[in-house]
């Protein structure tokens, strides 16, 4: 077992043992707030987190917003209530901070679809191409990339590259195909996808729209082309929230992870929000990210208390990965 894996396993075991010892009756809100102050820590949370985690966070946002905040955080500890690639991006941008992730197993199907080694050998077939990587990827993959993008700025990042420059886009084929369509490019696409956004059922969505013809259909660009085709608005999680807030319509069918509905409803209390239906029948009749939902209040508390599990990045990889991320932040700010 390599040292990183052994370290992660030891961290998980330690937190696992501690979880068993933690009384369920503990006032997690009070304890987390106390520890946050005592340790000079901030909690950054993604919109897909459980409502109670969003409520206790110091900042809630999309991938771009979270990286921008992580880069400038002054606190000593960043607790990332999100998934591994997000915490890793925070560590790349702000290496002197201790970055904690409540559950190290909180991964991402997109990040897992593309290893650094596979991307490196894929690049050999396209020696003239530059590599643009969606932020949902490991530090190792970012280290092999020329530019990084998020769903908020993907079009802007691609538009910053000369038209005659060929591009490899990894790892999300759905976002890549959408950007190809929007920009008229012909990027070579990595064959990765988000399990959560590929779960939406077109048939059920069309039937739901017929039931609510006054509803606007909004979708995240990680969704498949046939879903995006019928959407009135396509954008990042922040973009979707802004659209619902500012659009005159009263009703919206929302095709992204259901955790977003909490913040969306807070920001637009007078709007009716309907989660887009999925192929498989499940209890919420919506799409939930099992990775995002691995974080719980108990794990958040334990993570702050024991300052574990910590996310670390090899320094050579970090320096390499920082270059395309900083390029993205610069282009985004223009
Ligand atoms: P956003 O950057 O739009 O929040 O997307 C992150 C993500 O993982 C979507 O599945
Ligand atoms: Fe990854 Fe999809 Fe979960 Fe986002 S929703 S973290 S892309 S698996």
């Amino acid at each position: 077992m390599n040292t990183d894996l052994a370290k992660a396993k030891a961290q998980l075991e330690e937190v696992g043992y501690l979880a068993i010892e933690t009384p369920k009756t503990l006032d997690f809100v009070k304890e987390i707030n106390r520890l946050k102050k005592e340790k000079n820590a901030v909690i950054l949370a993604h919109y897909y987190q459980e409502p109670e985690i969003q409520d206790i966070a110091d900042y809630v946002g999309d991938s771009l917003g979270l990286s921008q905040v992580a880069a400038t955080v002054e606190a000593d500890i960043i607790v990332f209530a999100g998934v591994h690639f997000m915490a890793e991006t925070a560590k790349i941008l702000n290496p002197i901070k201790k970055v904690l992730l409540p559950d190290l197993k909180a991964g991402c199907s997109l990040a897992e679809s593309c290893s650094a080694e596979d991307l490196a050998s894929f690049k050999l077939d396209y020696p003239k191409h530059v590599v643009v990587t969606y932020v949902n990827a490991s530090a190792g993959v970012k280290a092999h990339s020329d530019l990084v993008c998020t769903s908020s700025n993907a079009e802007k990042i691609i538009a910053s590259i000369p038209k005659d420059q060929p591009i490899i886009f990894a790892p999300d084929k759905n976002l890549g195909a959408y950007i190809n369509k929007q920009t008229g490019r012909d990027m070579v696409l990595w064959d990765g996808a988000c399990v959560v956004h590929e779960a939406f059922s077109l048939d059920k969505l069309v039937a739901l729209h017929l039931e609510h013809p006054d509803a606007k259909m909004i979708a995240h660009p990680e969704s498949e082309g046939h879903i995006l085709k019928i959407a009135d608005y396509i954008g990042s999680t922040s973009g979707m929230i802004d659209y619902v807030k500012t659009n005159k319509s009263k009703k919206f069918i929302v095709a992204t992870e259901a955790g977003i509905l909490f913040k969306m409803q807070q920001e637009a209390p007078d709007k009716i929000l309907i989660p887009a239906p999925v192929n498989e029948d499940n209890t919420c009749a919506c799409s939930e990210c099992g990775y995002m939902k691995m974080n719980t209040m108990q794990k958040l508390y334990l993570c702050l208390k024991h300052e574990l599990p910590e996310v670390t990045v090899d320094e050579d990889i970090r320096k390499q990965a920082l270059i395309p991320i900083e390029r993205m932040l610069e282009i985004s700010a223009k």
Side-chain angles (χ1 to χ4, degrees):
M1 194 184 291
N2 72 35
T3 34
D4 276 357
L5 269 178
K7 196 171 156 200
K9 189 170 176 284
Q11 289 193 1
L12 278 174
E13 276 170 3
E14 189 164 345
V15 176
Y17 299 142
L18 295 165
I20 297 162
E21 287 166 18
T22 309
K24 291 264 186 308
T25 49
L26 207 69
D27 184 342
F28 288 123
V29 174
K30 194 169 140 221
E31 287 302 308
I32 290 170
N33 280 324
R34 181 182 64 76
L35 287 166
K36 243 177 27 172
K37 238 188 236 150
E38 185 185 301
K39 302 197 174 210
N40 190 24
V42 286
I43 300 176
L44 308 187
H46 188 265
Y47 292 124
Y48 296 165
Q49 293 296 290
E50 294 289 1
E52 51 190 355
I53 296 183
Q54 293 193 39
D55 268 344
I56 208 159
D58 299 281
Y59 176 83
V60 185
D62 71 355
S63 306
L64 178 63
L66 288 163
S67 342
Q68 285 163 332
V69 170
T72 55
V73 154
E74 284 181 5
D76 297 318
I77 297 178
I78 299 173
V79 183
F80 219 109
V83 291
H84 193 271
F85 77 80
M86 295 179 172
E88 211 176 40
T89 306
K91 185 68 185 175
I92 294 167
L93 283 161
N94 209 340
I96 57 166
K97 308 297 175 189
K98 185 178 258 188
V99 178
L100 306 173
L101 182 67
D103 191 325
L104 270 190
K105 283 182 288 189
C108 167
S109 69
L110 273 169
E112 282 157 23
S113 75
C114 182
S115 72
E117 295 73 24
D118 288 349
L119 181 62
S121 61
F122 189 78
K123 276 169 68 173
L124 296 176
D125 291 337
Y126 301 96
K128 294 206 169 86
H129 288 54
V130 296
V131 179
V132 180
T133 295
Y134 187 35
V135 71
N136 297 39
S138 69
V141 165
K142 291 183 178 105
H144 282 291
S145 309
D146 299 288
L147 263 166
V148 166
C149 72
T150 74
S151 53
S152 291
N153 59 23
E155 262 187 78
K156 194 172 182 183
I157 298 295
I158 299 302
S160 75
I161 301 169
K163 277 247 177 260
D164 56 352
Q165 170 61 58
I167 302 171
I168 293 173
F169 188 86
D172 188 0
K173 64 177 177 191
N174 292 319
L175 175 62
Y178 171 67
I179 301 295
N180 269 345
K181 198 163 153 270
Q182 292 300 103
T183 60
R185 314 272 311 215
D186 185 21
M187 301 187 295
V188 175
L189 307 181
W190 186 268
D191 189 16
C194 162
V195 283
V196 177
H197 288 88
E198 285 213 326
F200 296 117
S201 157
L202 180 62
D203 291 350
K204 289 186 192 171
L205 202 49
V206 170
L208 187 67
H209 213 177
L210 286 173
E211 254 180 70
H212 303 277
D214 52 333
K216 286 267 190 277
M217 213 328 252
I218 62 172
H220 195 279
E222 286 173 16
S223 310
E224 291 174 285
H226 55 249
I227 302 286
L228 298 181
K229 214 171 177 174
I230 59 165
D232 297 294
Y233 173 80
I234 298 163
S236 73
T237 48
S238 291
M240 291 168 94
I241 292 174
D242 286 346
Y243 182 81
V244 169
K245 265 168 77 177
T246 53
N247 190 274
K248 284 201 293 287
S249 307
K250 185 102 183 110
K251 220 184 253 180
F252 299 84
I253 299 173
V254 183
T256 192
E257 210 269 357
I260 198 174
L261 298 172
F262 174 67
K263 180 61 84 192
M264 208 174 247
Q265 196 72 81
Q266 275 186 335
E267 297 279 323
D270 56 329
K271 304 287 168 93
I272 299 163
L273 309 174
I274 310 169
V278 287
N279 282 308
E280 298 291 320
D281 289 327
N282 62 15
T283 42
C284 75
C286 64
S287 198
E288 285 200 301
C289 176
Y291 301 106
M292 286 277 182
K293 293 325 198 241
M294 280 179 181
N295 296 322
T296 61
M297 288 293 273
Q298 188 195 36
K299 288 182 197 167
L300 200 55
Y301 158 74
L302 286 167
C303 156
L304 260 168
K305 184 171 179 204
H306 302 285
E307 299 183 23
L308 279 172
E310 185 179 356
V311 172
T312 55
V313 184
D314 170 89
E315 187 54 15
D316 287 340
I317 294 179
R318 190 193 71 77
K319 282 189 191 144
Q320 278 303 310
L322 181 63
I323 300 168
I325 299 174
E326 281 191 327
R327 271 189 200 136
M328 167 189 81
L329 293 176
E330 271 164 37
I331 297 168
S332 254
K334 278 183 197 159

